[in-house]
C-alpha cells in the first residue's frame, strides 16, 4: 500500500496539471453546495420523465421484467437486523471486480450483511452465480432525491463501497448527511470525464463530492493524480493495485461444462483463436483478419464473443446472408465441416471457459476510436497469448504494467494488418506461442498477488474501523 504521491509526479502531463481551475476556501464549498442544489432540483423535476424512461427500457428488455421498481428505491427484500455494507457496481466488469472484496468481507465479518447493487440486467445474470450465500442483490436506485432517500431509508447501510467511478451527487450527499462512510475502489476517471469535471461549473461540485469520501483507492498513480487535481483530500487516496487482476482468483466455477468439453474435442485438430468482448463494428476487423489468415491457415477457426449476445445473433445472420457457414453457440450448433470456421458465441457468462479453448485471445473494445478496451487479465489468467488494439482507455495502465513486467505478455497492435501478422506469427510458430502464453500467465500471477489483502487493510482502517 502506498500513500498518494506528490502532484509533480512525472506521469502527470503538464496539460492535466494546468487544466483544473484552482478554488480555495469557503467560497468554493459554497459554490459546490449551490451547484448541488441545482442538480438536486433538476433531478427532482425530471423524475416523472425518468419513470417513463425506465418503463420504456423494461419493454425493450433492458430492465428486469419484475424487479424494475427497485430502480426507484422500492425494495424487494427485507433488511436483516444488524450492520449492513452496500457494494455498488454499474455493470459486469465493475461487479466482477467487487466479488473478491465481497468474498473477503463475507469470510472475515460473517455477522455483517452484504448488499450488492448493479445497474444492468446482464451484469446481474452473471454475478448472481458468483455471490456468496447470503449476499443480497438489488438493482441500483436512480440518482433522484426520492429514490435515494427511499433506498437509504429502507436499507440503512453502515458503509457504502462504490466501484470505479460512480459519482452520483444525490447518493453521496445523502450518505454524508447520514454520516455513512464512503469508499471508492478501483477508482478511475477517463480523460474525457476529468476534463468535464474540471470545468469551472462542475469543479466545485466534484470537489464537494470527493470531500465526503473516507477512502479512494485509484487503480493507478495517474488516476490518483486526477482525483488530487479535482481536490480530493490527499490523505484519503491510497494505492493498492487493480482489482481486475484478481477476478479470476475468486471466480466460482462448477467445472468445465460438457458443452465446452465437446467444443474442445471439435476444435482439437484446428488452429483456434478467440476474439472476445467485441463491440459493434469490430466484427468487420476480426472477420477481415480471419479471411486473410485462411489463406495461410485453412484449418484455422475464429471464436467471436460479442460484448452483447444480441450482437452475436446479428453477426451470424449477416454472415449466413452472404453465404458463410457459421455455428451459433446458443443453438448448440456444431463445427461439422471444414467449411464452418466461424463460431459465434451469443451467450453470457462463459468467457472464462472459452479462454481455455483457444490459446490466442484478441481482446475487443480496442480496435475502433472511442472505445476504451476491456480486462486483459482474464485471458492472461487462462494462459492465453494476449493481443489488444490501441484504443484501450483506462486499461492502458494494465497494458503498460504487463508489458513492463514482460513485453511478451501483451501484444498491442494498431491496424488490421498488424493484427493479422500478430495472430499469424502465433499460429505458425508453436514455440513462440508457448512463450507468449507462459509470459502472460506468469505476469498475471505476479501482479495479482497481495491486492485483496491490501484493499482489505485499507477498508478496515478507513471504513469499518472496528465494526
Amino acid at each position: 500500500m502506498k500513500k498518494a504521491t506528490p502532484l509533480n509526479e512525472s506521469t502527470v502531463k503538464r496539460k492535466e496539471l494546468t487544466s483544473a481551475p484552482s478554488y480555495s476556501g469557503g467560497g468554493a464549498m459554497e459554490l459546490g453546495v449551490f451547484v448541488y442544489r441545482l442538480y438536486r432540483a433538476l433531478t427532482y423535476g425530471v423524475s416523472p420523465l425518468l419513470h417513463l424512461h425506465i418503463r420504456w427500457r423494461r419493454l425493450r428488455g433492458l430492465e428486469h421484467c419484475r424487479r424494475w421498481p427497485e430502480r426507484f428505491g422500492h425494495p424487494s427484500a427485507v433488511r436483516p437486523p444488524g450492520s449492513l455494507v452496500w457494494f455498488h457496481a454499474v455493470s459486469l466488469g465493475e461487479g466482477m471486480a467487487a466479488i473478491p472484496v465481497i468474498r473477503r468481507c463475507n469470510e472475515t465479518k460473517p455477522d455483517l450483511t452484504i448488499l450488492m447493487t448493479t445497474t444492468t440486467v446482464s451484469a446481474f445474470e452473471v454475478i448472481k452465480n458468483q455471490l456468496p450465500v447470503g449476499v443480497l442483490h438489488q438493482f441500483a436506485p436512480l440518482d433522484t432525491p426520492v429514490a435515494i432517500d427511499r433506498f437509504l431509508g429502507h436499507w440503512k447501510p453502515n458503509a457504502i463501497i462504490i466501484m470505479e467511478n460512480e459519482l452520483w451527487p444525490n447518493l453521496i450527499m445523502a450518505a454524508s448527511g447520514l454520516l455513512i462512510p464512503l469508499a471508492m475502489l478501483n477508482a478511475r476517471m477517463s480523460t474525457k470525464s476529468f476534463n468535464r469535471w474540471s470545468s469551472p461549473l462542475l469543479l466545485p461540485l466534484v470537489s464537494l463530492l470527493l470531500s465526503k469520501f473516507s477512502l479512494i483507492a485509484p487503480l493507478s498513480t495517474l488516476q490518483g493524480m486526477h482525483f488530487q487535481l479535482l481536490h480530493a483530500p490527499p490523505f484519503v487516496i491510497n494505492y493498492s493495485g487493480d482489482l481486475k487482476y484478481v477476478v479470476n482468483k475468486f471466480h466460482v466455477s462448477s467445472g468445465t461444462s460438457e458443452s465446452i468439453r465437446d467444443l474442445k474435442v471439435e476444435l482439437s485438430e484446428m488452429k483456434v483463436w478467440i476474439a472476445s468482448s467485441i463491440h459493434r463494428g469490430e466484427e468487420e476487423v476480426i472477420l477481415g483478419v480471419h479471411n486473410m489468415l485462411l489463406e495461410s491457415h485453412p484449418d484455422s477457426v475464429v471464436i467471436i464473443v460479442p460484448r452483447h449476445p444480441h450482437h452475436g445473433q446479428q453477426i451470424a445472420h449477416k454472415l449466413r446472408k452472404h453465404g458463410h457457414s457459421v455455428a451459433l453457440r446458443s443453438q448448440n450448433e456444431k463445427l461439422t465441416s471444414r467449411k464452418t470456421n466461424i463460431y459465434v458465441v451469443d451467450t453470457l457468462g462463459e468467457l472464462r471457459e472459452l479462454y481455455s479453448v483457444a490459446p490466442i485471445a484478441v481482446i475487443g473494445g480496442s480496435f475502433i476510436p472511442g472505445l476504451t478496451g476491456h480486462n486483459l487479465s482474464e485471458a492472461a489468467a487462462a494462459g492465453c497469448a494476449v493481443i489488444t488494439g490501441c484504443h484501450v482507455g483506462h486499461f492502458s495502465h494494465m497494458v503498460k504494467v504487463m508489458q513492463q513486467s514482460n513485453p511478451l505478455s501483451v501484444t498491442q497492435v494498431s491496424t488490421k494488418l498488424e493484427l493479422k501478422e500478430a495472430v499469424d506469427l502465433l499460429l505458425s510458430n508453436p514455440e513462440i506461442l508457448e512463450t507468449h502464453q507462459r509470459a502472460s500467465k506468469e505476469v498475471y500471477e505476479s501482479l495479482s498477488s497481495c491486492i485483496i489483502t491490501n484493499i482489505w487493510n485499507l477498508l478496515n482502517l478507513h471504513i469499518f474501523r472496528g465494526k
Side-chain angles (χ1 to χ4, degrees):
M1 291 179 290
K2 299 186 295 181
K3 282 288 184 181
T5 48
L7 286 182
N8 62 358
E9 179 75 24
S10 61
T11 55
V12 180
K13 300 175 183 177
R14 182 172 300 276
K15 179 180 177 181
E16 291 177 334
L17 282 170
T18 58
S19 61
S22 176
Y23 292 92
S24 60
M29 187 66 68
E30 291 176 2
L31 182 55
V33 172
F34 174 74
V35 176
Y36 167 65
R37 287 174 178 169
L38 289 178
Y39 173 87
R40 181 177 175 85
L42 177 63
T43 51
Y44 187 86
V46 301
S47 292
L49 295 178
L50 291 174
H51 200 283
L52 292 175
H53 177 67
I54 292 296
R55 285 180 172 272
W56 177 72
R57 285 175 54 85
R58 177 199 172 200
L59 293 175
R60 296 180 60 209
L62 299 176
E63 299 289 343
H64 197 281
C65 60
R66 296 187 307 277
R67 293 175 52 188
W68 62 271
E70 294 174 22
R71 301 284 276 130
F72 298 99
H74 295 287
S76 62
V78 176
R79 186 202 191 279
S83 297
L84 180 146
V85 58
W86 171 20
F87 284 80
H88 172 60
V90 177
S91 57
L92 182 57
E94 295 93 331
M96 293 306 295
I99 295 295
V101 186
I102 290 174
R103 291 192 166 278
R104 176 63 65 89
C105 186
N106 193 55
E107 293 166 1
T108 309
K109 297 182 177 292
D111 296 331
L112 187 67
T113 297
I114 300 173
L115 169 69
M116 184 175 191
T117 60
T118 57
T119 299
T120 65
V121 176
S122 58
F124 165 68
E125 292 297 332
V126 176
I127 288 172
K128 67 181 181 181
N129 299 318
Q130 299 297 318
L131 291 174
V133 175
V135 174
L136 303 174
H137 178 273
Q138 296 281 281
F139 286 101
L142 296 171
D143 195 50
T144 64
V146 173
I148 292 297
D149 290 346
R150 184 183 289 132
F151 186 92
L152 293 178
H154 175 80
W155 292 106
K156 298 179 174 63
N158 298 88
I160 300 174
I161 299 174
I162 297 171
M163 299 303 299
E164 297 207 358
N165 59 352
E166 290 298 289
L167 291 174
W168 292 110
N170 285 322
L171 166 59
I172 293 170
M173 295 301 290
S176 175
L178 295 170
L179 303 180
I180 302 172
L182 285 157
M184 190 187 309
L185 303 186
N186 250 34
R188 65 176 178 86
M189 186 170 291
S190 67
T191 300
K192 182 178 178 180
S193 295
F194 173 77
N195 291 335
R196 183 174 64 247
W197 281 117
S198 298
S199 68
L201 178 63
L202 294 182
L203 181 60
L205 174 60
V206 75
S207 301
L208 173 67
L209 299 179
L210 293 175
S211 72
K212 307 302 181 183
F213 281 84
S214 300
L215 170 65
I216 297 174
L219 60 79
S220 71
T221 303
L222 179 59
Q223 291 296 335
M225 297 305 168
H226 280 162
F227 287 101
Q228 285 192 62
L229 289 167
L230 295 175
H231 303 168
F235 58 85
V236 306
I237 301 176
N238 294 266
Y239 306 102
S240 59
D242 190 343
L243 278 169
K244 290 189 175 180
Y245 283 121
V246 298
V247 168
N248 293 275
K249 286 183 176 292
F250 292 81
H251 180 71
V252 176
S253 175
S254 56
T256 304
S257 66
E258 183 177 351
S259 63
I260 293 292
R261 288 194 294 269
D262 291 343
L263 182 61
K264 285 183 178 180
V265 172
E266 292 180 58
L267 296 171
S268 60
E269 297 182 4
M270 301 178 185
K271 296 180 178 180
V272 187
W273 60 292
I274 184 171
S276 63
S277 300
I278 298 301
H279 287 241
R280 195 170 301 279
E282 289 189 305
E283 71 273 14
E284 302 297 334
V285 176
I286 299 304
L287 292 170
V289 169
H290 176 60
N291 288 333
M292 288 189 285
L293 288 171
L294 286 174
E295 296 178 7
S296 53
H297 303 282
D299 57 344
S300 64
V301 173
V302 62
I303 300 174
I304 298 178
V305 189
R307 181 71 170 159
H308 302 289
H310 182 63
H311 184 205
Q313 296 164 12
Q314 292 174 333
I315 292 172
H317 176 74
K318 183 177 180 179
L319 286 169
R320 286 169 176 166
K321 188 176 179 180
H322 289 85
H324 295 279
S325 181
V326 183
L328 195 61
R329 179 153 182 78
S330 65
Q331 303 302 312
N332 295 316
E333 294 171 349
K334 307 297 182 182
L335 295 159
T336 54
S337 71
R338 290 286 180 178
K339 291 183 179 180
T340 306
N341 48 45
I342 302 172
Y343 190 81
V344 178
V345 178
D346 58 334
T347 56
L348 282 172
E350 295 189 294
L351 186 55
R352 283 176 183 79
E353 287 191 279
L354 288 165
Y355 279 140
S356 69
V357 175
I360 304 168
V362 175
I363 312 301
S366 62
F367 294 100
I368 295 176
L371 299 180
T372 56
H374 285 291
N375 191 358
L376 313 177
S377 68
E378 295 174 329
C384 295
V386 180
I387 303 173
T388 185
C390 59
H391 305 286
V392 292
H394 67 275
F395 283 101
S396 60
H397 177 260
M398 182 177 286
V399 173
K400 180 179 179 181
V401 170
M402 291 181 69
Q403 288 181 332
Q404 286 176 339
S405 299
N406 188 329
L408 300 181
S409 62
V410 180
T411 300
Q412 193 167 23
V413 299
S414 300
T415 65
K416 183 190 294 187
L417 181 59
E418 286 184 8
L419 176 58
K420 180 262 182 184
E421 291 174 346
V423 178
D424 190 15
L425 176 67
L426 298 174
L427 290 177
S428 303
N429 301 274
E431 292 183 0
I432 294 178
L433 172 58
E434 184 179 348
T435 301
H436 280 254
Q437 288 180 277
R438 185 168 59 250
S440 63
K441 180 73 171 180
E442 290 174 353
V443 167
Y444 166 78
E445 293 294 342
S446 174
L447 294 176
S448 62
S449 62
C450 300
I451 291 176
I452 288 299
T453 298
N454 292 342
I455 284 285
W456 187 247
N457 289 340
L458 287 173
L459 288 173
N460 269 327
L461 177 64
H462 294 274
I463 301 299
F464 296 127
R465 298 171 185 166
K467 287 186 175 64

